[in-house]
Amino acid sequence: MKLHERLAALESSPVPTWVFDLDFFRQRWANKPALELWRASTPEELYGRDYSDMSESTRARMRGYIDGFRVGRTAEEEWTLYPKGEPVTVKLFMTGVPLDDDRTGVLIQGFVKEKAPSPDLVRSIEALRHTSVMVTLLDMAGEIVLQNPAAQRAFGASAPFHARFPDDVVPETLLAAARAGEVFSLETAVRTEAGERWHAVEARTLPDPATGQTVILVHHTDETARRGAERRAAEEGQLAEALRGTLALVERQKQEILALTAPVLEVSSRTIALPIIGALDAARAAEMEGRILGAVSARGAEHVILDLTGADALTAETAEQVARLGHAIRLLGARPIATGITSKLARTLVHANVDLGGILLLRSLRDGIEAARRERT
């Protein structure tokens, strides 16, 4: 039998009755009182309306009903409907009904409340349905009495409360605290339909307005994103600290290498030598300058030999750095001597047009040591 044939007895019912198809967001059948409730002029007009703009929370609630209808359950709930944009508070009785293609539809009977609840109550109910906070009411044994759509989406419509927690101690501790009249608060791992998340969970007791019995109000807020951000910040802080340590180590090693490649040697009581090995750039020249000037002051040196025998191919920039070192040495009253000057280096110094006045240029370190000895005598 077709759907309209199976529901023919409800055509004359004074109770607004209709069938909703959740898969396609369409009304599939309605009696005359339902047409009046929905303010539809004809059945065809009502069946043509598209309800796909319903909120995700409403969809979740309806899907939860469908799962129950398939195993013979019914549902009873108070809703605010919006026929043509006008709010109407209706007590709904719902059950499953086979559609013509064997899918499950929702058979709904609606009783319009003669006296509408206060606007504050209606708004509170709607806020509870649409909030992202997951709200659950438990009886004192820990069985679910009610959960809002956000909780149904997160944990499933039929999953028991204790199954939310990987740690079995958490629900037992929560229930024990509630039974003792305490407020329970904890941030913990939970199992959700989307996988494991981190929730801030809070629970407290209150009287059930429907029965007067004590129930437990539990609400979850998802803190996964915040915890992830905090963890990443901590990891980045550790990486930054490790990087600072590495950079400090590299700097120390750099200074040690510089000291090894350009050691300050005491040739005699008043003469020191600085063998320059490798490249001589501005940074290295500045470091050498600090060490050589410190040595001149500490040792009272009168002659400083800058030995370029082991230096890399010298450029105009290198010549400028040698001139700077020589000038700094002269400011402290010592005599700068540059040794290891080959013919090629001499040409480089000439072409660079660098002022090397005041620096004695000699071919070898031996010549520099001899020149310093002669000047002292």
Side-chain angles (χ1 to χ4, degrees):
M1 295 176 62
K2 294 293 186 181
L3 180 66
H4 70 276
E5 296 173 331
R6 285 183 277 120
L7 301 179
L10 296 175
E11 289 280 5
S12 58
S13 172
V15 178
T17 307
W18 64 96
V19 174
F20 187 73
D21 184 343
L22 183 59
D23 293 327
F24 294 95
F25 306 103
R26 290 286 196 276
Q27 308 283 17
R28 295 304 185 191
W29 179 88
N31 64 3
K32 185 175 180 181
L35 296 179
E36 294 173 355
L37 173 63
W38 286 102
R39 300 183 183 180
S41 56
T42 64
E44 289 71 26
E45 181 202 339
L46 179 63
Y47 304 159
R49 293 181 186 177
D50 181 5
Y51 296 89
S52 60
D53 61 347
M54 69 170 55
S55 69
E56 185 56 39
S57 62
T58 302
R59 296 187 188 194
R61 194 157 78 251
M62 294 291 285
R63 290 191 191 101
Y65 294 152
I66 291 288
D67 292 340
F69 296 156
R70 290 182 180 134
V71 294
R73 296 177 186 164
T74 61
E76 176 183 333
E77 196 167 315
E78 189 172 288
W79 280 32
T80 299
L81 305 179
Y82 297 88
K84 291 194 172 180
E86 294 294 327
V88 178
T89 302
V90 185
K91 184 74 170 181
L92 301 182
F93 294 87
M94 295 172 280
T95 189
V97 61
L99 300 176
D100 289 339
D101 56 5
D102 293 329
R103 291 180 299 108
T104 301
V106 186
L107 177 65
I108 305 172
Q109 291 182 297
F111 295 83
V112 178
K113 302 197 71 171
E114 296 296 331
K115 182 179 180 181
S118 69
D120 285 347
L121 178 59
V122 173
R123 290 169 182 149
S124 298
I125 293 171
E126 289 302 299
L128 180 65
R129 287 172 177 164
H130 294 280
T131 182
S132 61
V133 176
M134 293 147 274
V135 179
T136 304
L137 278 183
L138 305 174
D139 62 22
M140 297 306 287
E143 298 298 323
I144 295 175
V145 176
L146 174 144
Q147 54 183 346
N148 73 341
Q152 291 182 15
R153 287 196 303 274
F155 304 112
S158 58
F161 178 72
H162 65 82
R164 298 179 181 182
F165 303 96
D167 185 352
D168 294 336
V169 173
V170 174
E172 294 302 324
T173 306
L174 182 151
L175 292 173
R179 290 164 186 156
E182 301 171 357
V183 175
F184 174 88
S185 181
L186 179 69
E187 193 167 289
T188 183
V190 295
R191 298 189 188 98
T192 73
E193 297 286 285
E196 187 168 293
R197 310 284 291 178
W198 278 90
H199 284 185
V201 182
E202 187 173 297
R204 54 170 48 84
T205 56
L206 51 80
D208 185 347
T211 65
Q213 297 179 350
T214 301
V215 291
I216 305 170
L217 173 66
V218 183
H219 62 79
H220 297 238
T221 53
D222 196 322
E223 301 293 338
T224 308
R226 177 187 61 77
R227 284 181 62 93
E230 290 176 350
R231 185 182 65 254
R232 287 191 296 274
E235 290 172 350
E236 289 169 2
Q238 292 172 356
L239 288 174
E241 185 62 30
L243 179 59
R244 283 192 291 270
T246 301
L247 291 176
L249 176 61
V250 168
E251 183 60 26
R252 288 196 303 272
Q253 292 174 338
K254 176 183 175 183
Q255 297 304 320
E256 292 168 358
I257 292 170
L258 286 174
L260 290 173
T261 57
V264 178
L265 306 176
E266 188 167 356
V267 176
S268 69
S269 61
R270 297 293 181 177
T271 302
I272 59 177
L274 180 72
I276 299 174
I277 302 170
L280 181 63
D281 56 18
R284 190 175 179 212
E287 189 278 336
M288 288 180 181
E289 181 178 315
R291 287 193 296 115
I292 196 68
L293 296 184
V296 170
S297 299
R299 302 177 189 181
E302 297 176 354
H303 296 85
V304 178
I305 301 172
L306 303 176
D307 184 44
L308 303 174
T309 304
D312 286 351
L314 298 178
T315 63
E317 181 184 1
T318 306
E320 183 66 37
Q321 301 305 333
V322 172
R324 283 172 54 86
L325 284 170
H327 181 66
I329 292 167
R330 290 177 60 201
L331 289 176
L332 290 182
R335 168 77 153 153
I337 302 172
T339 63
I341 305 299
T342 62
S343 58
K344 181 178 180 181
L345 175 56
R347 288 193 296 272
T348 300
L349 295 175
V350 171
H351 292 319
N353 196 28
V354 176
D355 182 12
L356 295 174
I359 302 178
L360 179 61
L361 304 178
L362 298 173
R363 180 179 295 274
S364 68
L365 176 61
R366 181 177 180 178
D367 293 340
I369 295 173
E370 180 61 25
R373 185 186 63 78
R374 286 197 306 268
E375 290 190 2
R376 289 200 310 273
T377 58

